[in-house]
Amino acid sequence: MLLADTLLSMTISLGAMAAALAVWSDVRATRQTVEALEQLHSQQRELQRLLERLSLSAGATVLTQNTGGAVRWQLKPAPLSGTEGSRDDTLTWWTPRDIDPRDCQGNQVSTLDLIAHQFKLGSKQELTCKDSQRAGTLFQALAERVEDLQALYTEAAPTSGSDPALATLQWKTAAQVHDWQQVRAVQLCLRWASASKLLQGQAATTGCQNETVAADGRLRRLQRMTLRLASQGDG
């Protein structure tokens, strides 16, 4: 009886240990997933804040005063420009330096009238940017594990003597835009992935272009945003 009791006790102990290990493994996997989500959300928030800042000044009209005090129009750039790629659209925001002197990297070194904040995906799946208006600048990574960047633009149809606010708007790719001065808003989609593979299995997901992205253990999320260009209502 003593041997049987001992074996029974050992069996119960091993079962309890196995259950505890399973719980610990589940907790560890859940914690890893939560940390990956927090990292993705942190990078997404930082990017959205930057792009919202650029949307306020891109294409803004610069006015000056002459010696007599009269106000005159000096400069109104197109707010955006872009190129279309299969996986890596590029996007450039044009902002007057007098209105916002900071480039997308946070530098305040340009002496030119305009800052061109150019965004594109790097070779290591990083979202990068630089002031492409200034000579000698280099792309710098803003965020890691961005696998896709897609952009659509709202272009206003030409009007003849009518209120610009009543112009017909149409979503277009960069290749379809006829006049960047008439772009009113931009819609972005970025596909983010976790830096490492997770213990919890991840299902296949749908990408920015409605493609199926095969599961490889990484956590993936889409970030979609539509940004209205504030300057495009100033005439």
Side-chain angles (χ1 to χ4, degrees):
M1 290 295 294
L2 182 59
L3 178 59
D5 289 343
T6 301
L7 291 175
L8 177 60
S9 177
M10 291 178 61
T11 301
I12 294 174
S13 297
L14 289 173
M17 289 177 61
L21 285 173
V23 171
W24 177 82
S25 179
D26 288 344
V27 170
R28 181 185 175 209
T30 300
R31 180 177 177 180
Q32 185 188 41
T33 300
V34 169
E35 289 176 349
L37 275 172
E38 289 178 347
Q39 184 178 18
L40 287 183
H41 290 163
S42 176
Q43 292 190 91
Q44 290 174 348
R45 287 192 297 269
E46 288 297 321
L47 176 62
Q48 181 141 0
R49 278 195 287 265
L50 171 59
L51 296 181
E52 286 175 348
R53 191 197 96 204
L54 296 180
S55 71
L56 295 176
S57 56
T61 302
V62 177
L63 303 176
T64 59
Q65 273 188 321
N66 61 24
T67 54
V71 176
R72 67 182 181 87
W73 176 90
Q74 178 181 341
L75 176 69
K76 182 172 175 56
L80 292 168
S81 60
T83 62
E84 186 178 356
S86 60
R87 184 191 64 88
D88 51 354
D89 290 3
T90 67
L91 172 68
T92 303
W93 303 74
W94 295 85
T95 62
R97 180 176 57 87
D98 287 346
I99 295 177
D100 187 347
R102 297 167 294 172
D103 64 21
C104 56
Q105 299 177 5
N107 303 315
Q108 300 187 39
V109 295
S110 178
T111 59
L112 304 175
D113 290 335
L114 292 175
I115 298 176
H117 314 265
Q118 184 178 0
F119 292 80
K120 73 169 189 174
L121 295 188
S123 58
K124 298 180 180 180
Q125 293 187 330
E126 300 168 326
L127 180 64
T128 66
C129 81
K130 73 171 186 175
D131 177 7
S132 59
Q133 185 78 343
R134 193 161 52 87
T137 57
L138 299 175
F139 281 101
Q140 177 177 306
L142 296 178
E144 299 177 348
R145 298 299 304 184
V146 180
E147 299 177 331
D148 193 10
L149 169 63
Q150 298 295 317
L152 291 174
Y153 308 88
T154 298
E155 183 180 12
T159 58
S160 179
S162 59
D163 185 350
L166 301 178
T168 301
L169 303 177
Q170 184 178 359
W171 287 105
K172 298 181 177 182
T173 65
Q176 295 169 332
V177 173
H178 295 294
D179 184 357
W180 290 99
Q181 289 279 8
Q182 299 302 321
V183 171
R184 298 288 188 264
V186 59
Q187 183 181 84
L188 299 175
C189 179
L190 297 95
R191 189 176 84 225
W192 298 76
S194 59
S196 58
K197 297 182 179 181
L198 305 183
L199 297 174
Q200 287 184 333
Q202 302 297 316
T205 57
T206 300
C208 289
Q209 303 175 72
N210 293 320
E211 78 280 17
T212 298
V213 183
D216 63 355
R218 297 183 188 275
L219 176 71
R220 286 184 170 81
R221 290 292 185 271
L222 295 185
Q223 181 182 20
R224 299 183 187 273
M225 64 183 91
T226 301
L227 300 166
R228 178 185 174 275
L229 304 174
S231 69
Q232 297 306 86
D234 65 7

